[in-house]
Amino acid sequence: MSFEKEWAQHKADAGTRLNSASDGSGDGGAAGLVVHADDLGAVGHEAYVLHEGLRKAGDVTRGAKGGTGNTANAVAELKRENFATAGAISTAVEVWNSQLKTVLQACAHISNHLDYSKAAHARDDAEIAADLSAAKRPVAVSEIEKYFK
């Protein structure tokens, strides 16, 4: 079998598996994506834990007054002794700090967004439950449908 035919067969098989994926209800996965508030909270918490761990362990200048730790002291000493390595270490520290700040911002964003999403969905669920229980009668499909838009 040629590569093209084999590749086409693999793509067709994957498409069939995706199209027939089921959520266990036997309806071919019509329920769509389901996320539970506990899942959002757990992922948000892990992002927070990662943020705090990186913030503490990733700072190569920590423990020094004015942000000049052992690395900065080593760079200064190497420069004083005219070692070319001083510039490379200094550049490496700058790149590291830049990358660290980016990852810290991403972790904070994920944590904050998931915390917000969890709270927002809880408010929405409470509002929907209150609206439906206030009706004290079966609610028309057209009424329920507005919550899906």
Side-chain angles (χ1 to χ4, degrees), residues 71-72 74-75 78 84-95:
T71 304
V75 168
L78 290 169
T85 315
I89 294 172
S90 183
T91 300
V93 168
E94 288 174 24
V95 171

Side-chain angles (χ1 to χ4, degrees), residues 39-143:
D39 297 334
L40 294 176
V43 173
H45 176 72
E46 289 302 318
Y48 174 79
V49 169
L50 179 60
H51 177 274
E52 289 302 298
L54 282 173
R55 186 179 62 79
K56 292 174 185 170
D59 184 4
V60 295
T61 60
R62 72 178 166 199
K65 296 177 183 174
T68 56
N70 292 337
T71 304
N73 291 338
V75 168
E77 185 65 25
L78 290 169
K79 280 183 181 177
R80 191 174 62 74
E81 297 293 331
N82 295 319
F83 279 94
T85 315
I89 294 172
S90 183
T91 300
V93 168
E94 288 174 24
V95 171
W96 173 262
N97 285 334
S98 172
Q99 296 291 325
L100 179 62
K101 286 177 186 174
T102 301
V103 172
L104 288 172
Q105 288 173 358
C107 289
H109 180 72
I110 291 166
S111 178
N112 292 341
H113 181 72
L114 291 176
D115 287 346
Y116 171 81
S117 296
K118 181 179 175 182
H121 290 301
R123 284 190 306 272
D124 291 345
D125 287 348
E127 181 183 329
I128 291 168
D131 288 350
L132 293 176
S133 66
K136 296 190 181 183
R137 60 175 171 66
V139 179
V141 172
S142 60
E143 269 303 296

